[in-house]
Amino acid sequence: MKRTTILLTALTLICSFASAQDIQGYQKPPPPILSLFESAVSPVVRVSSDGEWMLLLEMEDLPSIAELSQAELRLAGQRINPTNNGQSRSAAYKGIKIIAVSSGTEYTLNGLPNEPRLSGITWSPDESKIAFLHNGAKGIELWVADLKSLQANRLSIFYINNTYGNSFIWNPDGKSILAKFIPDGRSAVSAQNISPEEPLIQENTGKSAPVPTYQDLLKNPYDEKLFDHYFTSQLKQVNLQGQSANFLQPAIIRSMEYSPDGEFLLMANITRPYSYQVPISAFPFTTSIYDEEGKLIKKLHEAPLAENIPAGFDGVPKGPRAFGWRADKGSVLYWVEALDNGNPAQQATIRDIVYTQPAPFNQYPLKLAECYFRFNSIVWGDDKVAILTERWWKTRFERRSFIKPSNVNFRVNLYDRYFEDGYTDPGVILTQKNEFNRNVLLTEFNALKRISDPDNVNIFTISDGASPEGDRPFLQKFNIKTKLMDTLFRSASPYYERPVFFSNGKFMINSRESGDSVQNYYRINLEDKSYTRLTNFTDPYPELNGVKKQQISYKRLDGITLGGTLYLPAGFKTGDPALPVLIWAYPREFKTAAAAGQTKGSPHKFSIISKASPVYWVTRGYAVLDNADMPVVGESNTEPNDTFVEQIRYNAEAAINHLVDMGVADRKRIAIGGHSYGAFMTANLLAHTDLFAAGIARSGAYNRSLTPFGFQTEERTFWQAPAVYTRMSPFAYADKIKTPILLIHGQADNNTGTYPMQSERFYTALKGHGATARLVLLPSESHAYQAKESLMHMLWEMDRWLEKYVKNK
């Protein structure tokens, strides 16, 4: 008997080992999912500012795992391809088509490179041409295409340096381009000496310097050497005949922008000392103004290493920041300075001041406006009108004001609102090109009152139009003196229709879609309201014919209204047996219950299925609740995360109860899943509830002590709120998780805080306590998976998990 037991045990172990090893290599999901996965997507659409041209940009195919696994360098928070001196893992377009909006005629560009991989597509100042980059076999090339001749050509024989920031800008005269190239005659970088030359030392002299858990940072002097080598650029002026000349000395360029009249260049260059604690965006930099010949006119500011910015999302650096040009003037500089030392904890009536200074930049700065909150943006009109926006993150407060650049004492608050309140969002302010081909306010004046009342000005906005009925995009005219609003267009059932261009009197361009018709674009005559179709994109998902999609609404325990998009398999009807369910969600934090309970999304939008979507499983017989509301509210002085665990449980219970009451869900066969913060939510729900049959957690963080200086919207540190950090860490409750959980993570995750170690350590903890768990690490993948093989394998893993632990439980 004893021998038999031993033999049986050995056989069991062998079989167990075999079953764990018999699945090798990348797998593909079952045919219904694979068919949807391989569907082509509609082109990306871009419209010129005058509405005359429309570009149709065809996305390239998914990269293979072999392409994704090519060598890359991870330096100062950036990932670069050392072969072409560009950003690695960047998406590109494989084709461009052009539509003349007035006639609706579609054209194809001639002369494009073979197997194009295009990016950085940028209109010329007069929008008669476009410039773009092509990722060629030997390097990144600069190209220009003329929209009238429909001819494209490579502009320079030199290769672009596309490691950081904008790699080229048009000269305002449209006759040349200023671009960042690999320095002439750059020598090869030497190999690293594997014998350390010196100890690695960091020191802090009593200053508080909390930083997030950034990844891909510099680690040693050799990394600094690589950083200098790959990030240093030589600026060249290249005319449209391809002739080029060096401009200034090689440097690591943070940003560059011509003045509207083209006479000056505002440029910021990164300087030493570099940091091993923060990415390139926080490195020291010097901001200067040069003339068009490259002569230094003025050094504006030397920004220090930004390791000591005051804590909180409202914290900003001391001193001048956010330099830019007034769009309505030839060469007038503006910038912002904090009066509270950038510290949101410091009491201050005025937080920021906006200054201006005209060329030749030797006058005392002029105060343009005071900001009671943090400066956010400014849309220029002329000396008589500009729109200033301020925000304060702590309270989610936003203010827009009408100011007059010629009169510092004039200010009219247009509205105060909370920016998380979608119902009150007026939308994006519309602009038009001025004499400098810069975007300024699109305005309309009352001709009868203009002379006697110069403030009688209308501006225009386009909003997503959040409402209790769902999103209904609108175009609105707003009088900045009377504050009267006139809705010129609003989307109506059965369509989801959004304006993308408005000419103020002639025509507009809208995108239009419905629940069962894919998005297309139309030119609308404003006189007779007639529609002319511009695109003919077809349904990429005929496999979903018969699938029922609906927006559902329900309330959680404390009365907050929740919702989501429910997909039901084709043929399912009321009274049929209840279905297995997959709920997919991502938590969002709110400061008010009112904002948390607002209706989101639209029942009239066509469902575009991403390559990592949960909607695939409606073809496998599941009900899928996608984008299930998962709000976490912290009103007044309380913070959302103080009751994170309790609130996500309320959300989950409300969703499940509603689906069961609808007759859709089998309560015992429901899975929960999410990506990133949604994975974190999933693990917490499995640790603190027994509501689910299984969980799927992709690329999450599970131990908050590994993100001690804040995460997501949490501003407090671990040492300020240790109980919150511990309570929110499912790692600390690994012994409580009895529900099967599938963990998937990219081995090259570059997202702040979601190191692959998070999933590895969590899996070890689960395994140590006997949980049913599976860990899948995807080689070469970062936070968002890209390779075709990786994505198909991810779908296969999810399908097996759901079939075993949910559908066939």
Side-chain angles (χ1 to χ4, degrees):
M1 177 69 78
K2 184 175 181 182
R3 183 181 179 187
T4 303
T5 303
I6 293 173
L7 286 172
L8 287 172
T9 302
L11 286 171
T12 300
L13 290 172
I14 292 170
C15 292
S16 175
F17 179 78
S19 65
Q21 301 296 322
D22 59 1
I23 300 170
Q24 297 180 355
Y26 289 96
Q27 304 296 315
K28 294 181 179 181
I33 292 178
L34 185 61
S35 178
L36 279 177
F37 175 82
E38 293 180 333
S39 299
V41 296
S42 299
V44 175
V45 172
R46 292 190 189 173
V47 180
S48 62
S49 67
D50 59 4
E52 293 301 318
W53 297 102
M54 177 181 284
L55 304 181
L56 306 184
L57 309 176
E58 186 180 3
M59 289 295 300
E60 68 176 352
D61 300 329
L62 292 171
S64 68
I65 190 63
E67 292 176 275
L68 198 70
S69 301
Q70 292 176 354
E72 69 176 1
L73 293 173
R74 302 171 185 180
L75 302 168
Q78 305 295 302
R79 293 187 172 184
I80 66 168
N81 182 343
T83 303
N84 65 10
N85 224 105
Q87 299 171 10
S88 65
R89 305 170 182 271
S90 57
Y93 303 106
K94 64 179 181 181
I96 303 178
K97 291 183 179 180
I98 300 168
I99 293 178
V101 172
S102 57
S103 65
T105 306
E106 183 177 294
Y107 302 97
T108 300
L109 280 177
N110 300 311
L112 286 174
N114 294 327
E115 298 183 3
R117 296 196 64 209
L118 313 179
S119 62
I121 297 170
T122 306
W123 299 97
S124 65
D126 66 356
E127 298 185 333
S128 65
K129 302 174 181 65
I130 56 172
F132 53 87
L133 304 178
H134 165 58
N135 187 352
K138 296 182 179 180
I140 300 174
E141 305 163 358
L142 178 63
W143 284 64
V144 168
D146 188 292
L147 300 185
K148 294 181 180 178
S149 67
L150 299 172
Q151 184 65 39
N153 62 278
R154 185 178 173 185
L155 198 60
S156 172
I157 63 171
F158 302 103
Y159 291 113
I160 289 287
N161 185 340
N162 193 33
T163 50
Y164 184 67
N166 52 337
S167 58
F168 68 88
I169 54 174
W170 283 91
N171 190 302
D173 64 10
K175 297 178 180 179
S176 66
I177 289 175
L178 183 66
K180 292 157 47 175
F181 291 89
I182 295 172
D184 303 330
R186 184 181 71 177
S187 59
V189 65
S190 59
Q192 181 178 11
N193 182 356
I194 61 173
S195 299
E197 296 179 356
E198 59 187 23
L200 301 178
I201 300 171
Q202 299 182 56
E203 181 178 7
N204 189 56
T205 56
K207 293 183 179 180
S208 175
V211 294
T213 48
Y214 295 114
Q215 300 199 48
D216 301 337
L217 302 179
L218 300 180
K219 298 179 179 64
N220 52 52
Y222 184 71
D223 277 359
E224 296 185 47
K225 183 178 180 179
L226 291 175
F227 177 76
D228 284 333
H229 179 85
Y230 287 103
F231 285 75
T232 298
S233 299
Q234 172 63 64
L235 283 177
K236 292 178 185 287
Q237 288 274 12
V238 187
N239 65 26
L240 297 186
Q241 289 71 48
Q243 299 168 324
S244 64
N246 288 350
F247 186 85
L248 301 176
Q249 294 299 308
I252 301 177
I253 300 167
R254 192 178 197 265
S255 63
M256 53 186 181
E257 181 188 7
Y258 276 112
S259 61
D261 60 12
E263 294 187 9
F264 301 97
L265 179 70
L266 175 66
M267 191 161 73
N269 291 338
I270 290 172
T271 59
R272 285 178 177 268
Y274 304 149
S275 171
Y276 296 178
Q277 298 296 316
V278 292
I280 186 174
S281 58
F283 284 9
F285 63 96
T286 299
T287 304
S288 304
I289 295 179
Y290 299 86
D291 68 13
E292 56 188 339
E293 302 299 325
K295 178 184 176 182
L296 177 64
I297 301 301
K298 185 176 183 179
K299 183 183 291 186
L300 297 171
H301 181 58
E302 293 184 357
L305 180 64
E307 284 187 346
N308 300 302
I309 294 177
F313 293 108
D314 293 311
V316 295
K318 296 180 182 179
R321 71 181 198 275
F323 288 93
W325 297 106
R326 277 186 60 170
D328 61 323
K329 297 290 183 181
S331 50
V332 175
L333 188 71
Y334 79 93
W335 68 91
V336 183
E337 292 189 35
L339 290 190
D340 58 3
N341 293 311
N343 186 359
Q346 181 175 315
Q347 295 297 315
T349 302
I350 305 297
R351 293 288 179 178
D352 285 341
I353 291 185
V354 184
Y355 292 101
T356 64
Q357 191 177 52
F361 316 107
N362 55 12
Q363 302 176 24
Y364 195 77
L366 301 174
K367 183 169 70 172
L368 175 74
E370 296 178 338
C371 298
Y372 298 90
F373 307 95
R374 283 283 176 250
F375 171 84
N376 179 263
S377 64
I378 189 165
V379 182
W380 302 98
D382 54 29
D383 277 335
K384 297 177 181 178
V385 58
I387 306 298
L388 173 71
T389 301
E390 310 165 49
R391 279 190 167 190
W392 195 247
W393 165 261
K394 189 71 174 179
T395 58
R396 315 303 196 267
F397 180 83
E398 179 182 84
R399 170 174 290 167
R400 277 187 185 173
S401 302
F402 163 27
I403 63 172
K404 293 185 177 182
S406 61
N407 183 355
V408 68
N409 296 315
F410 182 90
R411 180 191 186 109
V412 174
N413 291 347
L414 298 181
Y415 63 81
D416 291 345
R417 60 180 291 269
Y418 294 100
F419 57 78
E420 66 179 14
D421 179 3
Y423 291 176
T424 63
D425 184 6
V428 177
I429 297 173
L430 299 191
T431 59
Q432 62 185 346
K433 290 287 185 75
N434 64 3
E435 66 271 27
F436 300 113
N437 286 315
R438 293 296 182 96
N439 291 323
V440 296
L441 283 168
L442 174 62
T443 55
E444 177 186 79
F445 302 104
N446 187 322
L448 298 176
K449 296 183 178 180
R450 177 60 174 156
I451 297 176
S452 60
D453 189 0
D455 295 344
N456 196 285
V457 180
N458 294 317
I459 63 173
F460 300 86
T461 63
I462 292 175
S463 171
D464 287 336
S467 74
E469 296 79 37
D471 291 349
R472 297 179 58 201
F474 62 76
L475 168 66
Q476 179 178 265
K477 180 165 66 175
F478 180 83
N479 189 283
I480 60 175
K481 179 185 178 182
T482 65
K483 302 183 184 180
L484 293 176
M485 295 174 284
D486 182 11
T487 301
L488 305 180
F489 170 85
R490 190 175 184 96
S491 181
S493 175
Y495 298 110
Y496 177 86
E497 194 167 353
R498 195 179 199 283
V500 297
F501 171 81
F502 174 64
S503 67
N504 190 13
K506 298 178 182 178
F507 68 97
M508 62 191 295
I509 299 174
N510 282 12
S511 67
R512 173 189 271 192
E513 61 194 283
S514 68
D516 55 7
S517 61
V518 71
Q519 182 185 72
N520 273 287
Y521 290 79
Y522 296 79
R523 185 185 190 275
I524 304 169
N525 187 309
L526 293 177
E527 292 183 358
D528 59 11
K529 310 299 182 184
S530 61
Y531 279 58
T532 301
R533 186 164 174 164
L534 297 172
T535 61
N536 289 285
F537 305 146
T538 58
D539 184 353
Y541 315 121
E543 301 91 340
L544 294 184
N545 288 341
V547 168
K548 185 177 180 182
K549 171 190 170 185
Q550 63 186 103
Q551 297 297 120
I552 63 172
S553 178
Y554 47 92
K555 290 184 181 294
R556 77 181 198 186
L557 187 65
D558 57 4
I560 293 178
T561 300
L562 308 176
T565 305
L566 178 63
Y567 297 83
L568 297 174
F572 179 83
K573 59 185 181 299
T574 302
D576 285 353
L579 299 169
V581 177
L582 173 58
I583 298 176
W584 202 260
Y586 188 94
R588 287 187 58 198
E589 296 86 348
F590 293 88
K591 286 302 293 179
T592 66
Q598 291 183 346
T599 302
K600 304 166 189 70
S602 168
H604 306 303
K605 291 196 72 173
F606 184 82
S607 294
I608 296 297
I609 303 176
S610 74
K611 299 302 182 181
S613 172
V615 178
Y616 292 113
W617 278 273
V618 75
T619 68
R620 298 281 282 159
Y622 293 77
V624 178
L625 181 60
D626 193 18
N627 292 318
D629 277 342
M630 197 63 62
V632 184
V633 184
E635 295 190 297
S636 188
N637 293 326
T638 63
E639 294 298 329
N641 286 340
D642 292 345
T643 53
F644 178 90
V645 170
E646 291 77 9
Q647 292 196 60
I648 62 170
R649 183 177 71 240
Y650 298 158
N651 298 329
E653 288 173 340
I656 291 171
N657 289 338
H658 185 70
L659 293 173
V660 171
D661 290 344
M662 289 177 67
V664 166
D666 178 347
R667 190 182 292 275
K668 295 182 179 180
R669 295 191 299 160
I670 300 177
I672 182 69
H675 189 94
S676 192
Y677 210 52
F680 171 70
M681 166 210 73
T682 295
N684 265 303
L685 283 169
L686 300 193
H688 297 284
T689 76
D690 57 359
L691 297 171
F692 299 99
I696 299 173
R698 300 191 321 220
S699 297
Y702 310 104
N703 184 348
R704 283 303 166 199
S705 70
L706 298 178
T707 56
F709 287 104
F711 56 91
Q712 205 72 2
T713 62
E714 179 56 66
E715 295 183 298
R716 297 167 296 185
T717 71
F718 172 84
W719 297 273
Q720 292 172 321
V724 170
Y725 274 68
T726 301
R727 175 68 169 162
M728 290 182 68
S729 294
F731 177 85
Y733 299 89
D735 60 326
K736 308 297 183 185
I737 296 178
K738 307 304 180 185
T739 303
I741 182 170
L742 172 63
L743 302 173
I744 303 175
H745 215 119
Q747 279 191 311
D749 195 321
N750 60 339
N751 185 56
T752 302
T754 54
Y755 300 101
M757 178 180 67
Q758 288 273 9
S759 286
E760 293 169 338
R761 294 291 184 267
F762 188 39
Y763 173 75
T764 301
L766 292 168
K767 182 179 179 181
H769 289 93
T772 299
R774 181 177 173 89
L775 172 63
V776 179
L777 297 176
L778 299 174
S780 302
E781 292 292 352
S782 58
H783 194 60
Y785 318 144
Q786 291 179 277
K788 186 174 184 178
E789 293 92 335
S790 300
L791 288 161
M792 289 192 298
H793 187 85
M794 175 202 73
L795 296 175
W796 178 80
E797 291 280 0
M798 291 174 62
D799 188 71
R800 286 179 74 239
W801 203 255
L802 291 170
E803 291 290 291
K804 181 175 183 179
Y805 293 109
V806 181
K807 181 189 284 186
N808 299 310
K809 180 182 177 181

